[in-house]
Amino acid sequence: MSFPVPLSRLPRRLALMIAVLTAMSSNALAQQNMGARSPTSVVPLLVKNGKATEPVAEFRSCSKPVYPKAALYGEQEGTVTLAFLIGSDGAVKEAKVVKSSGFPLLDLAAQEGIRRCMFRPSRIDGKPVVAWTKMQYVWTLDGPTPAEAAAALPAALADAERGDPAAQYKLGSIYMDGDGVVRDPAQAFAWWRKAAEQSHVWAIYSLGAALHFGVSGKPDLAQAMIWYRKAAELNMPEAQHMMGVLTLEGIGVPVDEVVAREWFRRAAMQRLAVSQAYFAGFLLNKNTPDMLAQGIALLHKAAAQDDFTGQFLLAQCYDTGRGVPQDKAMAATLYEKAALGGSKPAQRLMAAMYERGEGVTADPVRADQWRKIAEIPNPLPR
């Protein structure tokens, strides 16, 4: 995942809200410039004649499925049942959704995951044959159980009352998310302020995010910017990125692309993937050989960290041959990753590419899937 801030460090609610904001801004930037679990069960193959063996997945041959970021933003979970055709060579020839998870993006991501797997093919009387079988993908989000959350509370409270800023921040996060307690944003604010007074940067940043999104009342962008700036000036790359986003979008401050670019540059220099992509977008717009080379290098770094803005912008470069040799297949691969991340421009492009057979094998069914997904607004946090 490449949220602008790791979920493990921010309260869940704030991290998801920030992820949505960044996704929306990333889509706008794209327009301008440009863990899942393993399958849980296999349904036995049925044959009418002869002695049959079932196909067996060689899971070491599969890339680990990536939870679509747009599904993470909306905390989507579910089980998708697939039917797929295994060739006599063990390769997946076709995959269909038998029972939906209830979320089209999860269904499509499961199909893409299974297409990358190799199987020991089905055999009838010892001879490999082409055959259909079924499999389920279970998409589930990690998180503490109610019992685990409740057990963490006493220790966090004791350490927080002794003045430990890390414990004060953790306790505030517990109250913000309602993990093992009744959700209480006022208590969260109180503990975060105590931690912030001791220069705990995540507490400072969380206060900014909570005020920005109005988690306990009306948003207060003026106060939010004060806290964001404090964290940014403490050299926190995530806060620097947020300052860039808000300045670029004119949220709480006048639009200022020069200032935004500098914030993105500072965060990119600290290897924050999403800022590498944003800053690369500015460099590409300079359109000089040196700036193109620097921008392409940053996009490769961002894409390698699974940042979908970086994937989309890099795909555009391969699509048009801008700064790199033109490669439609590479462009399609990167567009598809960005599309699974929630990029609406990438989703629309994937529909067109599958329709035309450009960079991919023409497939009207998959084109229709992407077209429908592109029409569905990205989910908001629950």
Side-chain angles (χ1 to χ4, degrees):
M1 290 186 283
S2 65
F3 290 124
V5 230
L7 283 175
S8 60
R9 299 295 298 275
L10 263 185
R12 186 169 54 255
R13 284 175 180 266
L14 297 186
L16 292 171
M17 288 176 179
I18 289 169
V20 171
L21 176 67
T22 300
M24 292 167 62
S25 298
S26 295
N27 286 336
L29 182 68
Q31 296 278 33
Q32 292 169 11
N33 288 282
M34 1 208 186
R37 294 182 181 175
S38 298
T40 57
S41 62
V42 178
V43 178
L45 175 71
L46 300 178
V47 296
K48 293 183 178 179
N49 300 301
K51 184 178 180 181
T53 61
E54 300 173 14
V56 177
E58 301 281 3
F59 290 118
R60 286 176 297 180
S61 72
C62 308
S63 300
K64 184 178 179 180
V66 176
Y67 219 120
K69 293 183 185 62
L72 283 168
Y73 301 157
E75 300 183 77
Q76 294 177 349
E77 299 179 280
T79 299
V80 54
T81 302
L82 298 174
F84 47 95
L85 185 64
I86 305 301
S88 58
D89 61 353
V92 177
K93 306 299 183 183
E94 190 175 347
K96 298 179 179 179
V97 175
V98 175
K99 185 177 180 182
S100 172
S101 65
F103 301 105
L105 201 55
L106 291 182
D107 295 346
L108 188 59
Q111 285 181 279
E112 293 307 307
I114 204 65
R115 287 177 192 276
R116 291 191 290 268
C117 293
M118 290 295 294
F119 287 73
R120 292 202 297 272
S122 175
R123 294 178 180 271
I124 296 180
D125 296 330
K127 184 178 179 180
V129 295
V130 176
W132 285 92
T133 190
K134 293 181 182 178
M135 184 177 284
Q136 289 183 323
Y137 262 49
V138 178
W139 298 97
T140 184
L141 297 168
D142 296 327
T145 65
E148 290 170 339
L153 182 61
L157 180 60
D159 289 342
E161 289 177 340
R162 282 197 294 269
D164 180 350
Q168 291 169 344
Y169 172 69
K170 181 178 180 180
L171 186 60
S173 300
I174 288 172
Y175 278 113
M176 180 58 67
D177 285 335
D179 286 337
V181 296
V182 176
R183 183 169 179 268
D184 190 338
Q187 282 274 35
F189 270 57
W191 286 111
W192 285 343
R193 282 185 180 275
K194 290 178 183 292
E197 287 168 1
Q198 300 185 69
S199 299
H200 190 284
V201 70
W202 286 98
I204 295 169
Y205 184 78
S206 295
L207 284 169
L211 289 162
H212 174 186
F213 294 103
V215 296
S216 62
K218 292 183 179 180
D220 188 336
L221 289 174
Q223 284 297 309
M225 289 295 286
I226 290 172
W227 291 105
Y228 279 145
R229 187 177 292 276
K230 284 183 179 180
E233 289 174 350
L234 287 170
N235 212 31
M236 181 188 192
E238 294 82 1
Q240 291 167 348
H241 179 80
M242 186 57 67
M243 288 295 296
V245 169
L246 297 180
T247 306
L248 184 65
E249 297 292 321
I251 300 174
V253 292
V255 173
D256 191 327
E257 291 191 3
V258 174
V259 171
R261 183 178 65 225
E262 176 58 17
W263 283 120
F264 292 138
R265 186 196 66 79
R266 290 176 63 179
M269 294 306 100
Q270 297 190 69
R271 302 180 182 179
L272 188 67
V274 66
S275 289
Q276 289 174 335
Y278 272 67
F279 185 55
F282 283 104
L283 295 177
L284 294 180
N285 280 340
K286 295 291 185 182
N287 211 32
T288 65
D290 184 52
M291 293 295 101
L292 279 175
Q294 290 183 45
I296 295 293
L298 279 175
L299 290 179
H300 275 290
K301 290 177 180 179
Q305 296 179 69
D306 199 33
D307 177 76
F308 73 79
T309 304
Q311 290 162 345
F312 185 90
L313 293 176
L314 188 58
Q316 281 194 318
C317 293
Y318 279 106
D319 198 4
T320 61
R322 186 183 186 194
V324 293
Q326 189 175 42
D327 187 334
K328 294 288 186 179
M330 176 63 75
T333 297
L334 289 164
Y335 279 139
E336 194 143 43
K337 289 180 178 180
L340 288 169
S343 169
K344 292 301 174 183
Q347 291 169 359
R348 289 189 287 271
L349 279 168
M350 286 313 303
M353 294 179 88
Y354 275 114
E355 189 69 43
R356 297 192 300 260
E358 184 178 301
V360 293
T361 302
D363 188 332
V365 174
R366 292 173 83 182
D368 188 57
Q369 284 179 299
W370 277 120
R371 194 173 295 109
K372 289 177 179 176
I373 288 171
E375 293 171 354
I376 301 171
N378 278 333
L380 295 174
R382 294 184 297 186

